[in-house]
Amino acid sequence: MPEIDYSYETILCNWDVKKEQQKADFIEYIYQCYQPGNHCYTGLWQRFCQEEAGPYCRDLHFERKEALEQFLKANENV
């Protein structure tokens, strides 16, 4: 496994200001949605992934898989 360079120089050379701001804005959005009683951001990303993104992505995966199977079956003899 290659060693990852965590030096400030490497981090800042690859820094995408817009992407980092989007990440900060989104976690703030999640905070406002969940309004955690402990007023902490800790665990919000995990909660979002488990309760919203995870189930959505899982369902989307199986929808795509089924669509592909139907497409292949419909085009078997073409």
Side-chain angles (χ1 to χ4, degrees):
M1 177 180 272
E3 189 172 317
I4 299 174
D5 182 3
Y6 289 110
S7 69
Y8 286 118
E9 183 179 343
T10 300
I11 292 170
L12 293 177
C13 284
N14 297 313
W15 194 262
D16 182 340
V17 174
K18 182 177 179 181
K19 182 68 76 182
E20 295 301 320
Q21 186 61 53
Q22 288 174 337
K23 289 194 288 188
D25 292 345
F26 190 71
I27 200 71
E28 178 64 25
Y29 169 76
I30 292 172
Y31 180 89
Q32 296 302 322
C33 288
Y34 291 133
Q35 299 180 350
N38 62 3
H39 306 290
C40 292
Y41 287 82
T42 304
L44 290 178
W45 179 253
Q46 182 178 7
R47 182 176 173 187
F48 170 75
C49 291
Q50 291 174 336
E51 295 178 8
E52 296 184 45
Y56 172 78
C57 290
R58 180 192 57 228
D59 294 344
L60 185 61
H61 166 75
F62 286 107
E63 287 174 14
R64 288 178 175 175
K65 184 178 177 183
E66 184 177 332
L68 178 59
E69 289 169 355
Q70 289 175 0
F71 173 80
L72 293 174
K73 186 176 181 179
N75 290 293
E76 275 180 348
N77 300 321
V78 176

